Amino acid sequence: MGVNRRRVGLALGGGGVRGMAHVGVLHVLEQEKIPVDCIAGTSVGSFVGAAYAAGVRGDRLLKLAQEVQWRHIARLVWPRHGFVSFSRMESYITRFMGDLTFDDLEIPYAAVTADLTTGEPVVLKEGRVAPAVRASCSIPGVVTPVRLNGRLLVDGGIVNNLPISVVRDLGADLVIAVALGVPPADPPKGPFGIGIAAIEFLIIHAADDPATADAYIPIPVWGLGSVVRISMRQRLIALGRQAAEQALPAIKAALAESGLKAG
């Protein structure tokens, strides 16, 4: 790596099971030898981003995506603060990548969370990685919050679901952003569909403007099923690959404009 090479960062958005698409995107970037110098992730983006930053890549990352089940990361609890606990997620993360701190990671990484008391975004870049990822993934009202560093933390998707600015703060000169969800052309139907669509739009607007990224990769999925159904994993990985391949000309053009090239 040349000392004058400009730094490339990834912003990985949240979206539950849709995060499988991140794996497809990363697989294409690896195949094309596109450098990644830092990562920021929200919710499932923090999960996939942490694995990549820890060196879980290529076939290992694909294997992780193909094997993980809800039972590995979640368990039902008495609904005092949420219906589900992600305490198993910490153990799972520790098993596949080690009980690492942020300083142990191969590349700089940040997890985006929200303070449930103040509503402020909280970007985690220090301490142990596993609880930071758990906090970033803890959907308020559904998953129990995480008390960390004196704060009660929940899913960062309510404050910044596409952390482009966070990647810039990590030192990226060029940012590739991956958003998990594209609104369909047709309006939603029925009260349930309308409600889910409203939540989706709120999350989209609780994000950095995609136009501030140098390359933008939207994954064309929508609806509750794509958020929770593990059975969609192969389709989502394939959609991530396809979207990344379609974005390659724009990515390579951005790299060239910055004086970089793939490989």
Side-chain angles (χ1 to χ4, degrees), residues 126-158:
E126 298 178 343
R128 294 176 58 234
V129 173
V133 173
R134 175 188 171 187
S136 184
C137 294
S138 296
I139 306 163
V142 178
V143 182
T144 55
V146 176
R147 190 165 294 280
L148 194 63
N149 302 331
R151 292 178 179 263
L152 196 61
L153 300 178
V154 294
D155 193 314
I158 65 173

Side-chain angles (χ1 to χ4, degrees), residues 10-263:
L10 288 180
L12 302 181
V17 171
R18 294 176 187 171
M20 300 291 181
H22 286 319
V23 176
V25 171
L26 287 166
H27 195 245
V28 170
L29 297 183
E30 279 191 83
Q31 286 182 323
E32 296 293 323
K33 295 182 170 51
I34 292 170
V36 175
D37 300 299
C38 54
I39 301 177
T42 299
S43 196
V44 70
S46 76
F47 190 108
V48 178
Y52 195 85
V56 180
R57 299 172 194 160
D59 290 342
R60 283 187 67 206
L61 189 59
L62 284 170
K63 185 172 185 289
L64 170 65
Q66 290 163 353
E67 292 183 352
V68 66
Q69 301 286 342
W70 280 115
R71 69 176 183 273
H72 295 143
I73 60 176
R75 64 182 178 87
L76 294 174
V77 294
W78 184 256
R80 183 181 175 191
H81 301 296
F83 296 94
V84 174
S85 168
F86 277 174
S87 58
R88 289 180 178 174
M89 180 182 287
E90 287 193 46
S91 300
Y92 189 72
I93 290 170
T94 299
R95 283 200 303 276
F96 77 75
M97 73 179 202
D99 190 11
L100 304 179
T101 67
F102 283 81
D103 288 339
D104 295 326
L105 298 173
E106 293 183 6
I107 61 176
Y109 157 79
V112 178
T113 70
D115 187 313
L116 190 57
T117 304
T118 66
E120 297 173 315
V122 178
V123 178
L124 300 175
K125 297 184 287 186
E126 298 178 343
R128 294 176 58 234
V129 173
V133 173
R134 175 188 171 187
S136 184
C137 294
S138 296
I139 306 163
V142 178
V143 182
T144 55
V146 176
R147 190 165 294 280
L148 194 63
N149 302 331
R151 292 178 179 263
L152 196 61
L153 300 178
V154 294
D155 193 314
I158 65 173
V159 290
N160 191 348
N161 202 48
L162 189 62
I164 297 166
S165 58
V166 178
V167 182
R168 300 276 187 205
D169 290 342
L170 288 175
D173 301 298
L174 184 151
V175 177
I176 301 168
V178 187
L180 301 176
V182 175
D186 299 324
K189 297 178 181 179
F192 183 75
I194 290 170
I196 293 298
I199 293 171
E200 295 247 34
F201 280 118
L202 286 171
I203 292 171
I204 286 174
H205 290 293
D208 286 334
D209 184 350
T212 62
D214 298 277
Y216 177 53
I217 306 177
I219 306 300
V221 285
W222 195 258
L224 185 61
S226 64
V227 174
V228 300
R229 287 174 54 196
I230 291 282
S231 61
M232 293 183 68
R233 75 176 85 214
Q234 296 298 341
R235 175 174 175 246
L236 289 163
I237 293 171
L239 281 172
R241 284 197 185 103
Q242 182 180 21
E245 287 167 354
Q246 291 173 347
L248 278 175
I251 293 171
K252 290 181 178 180
L255 290 170
E257 189 174 332
S258 299
L260 300 172
K261 65 178 181 178

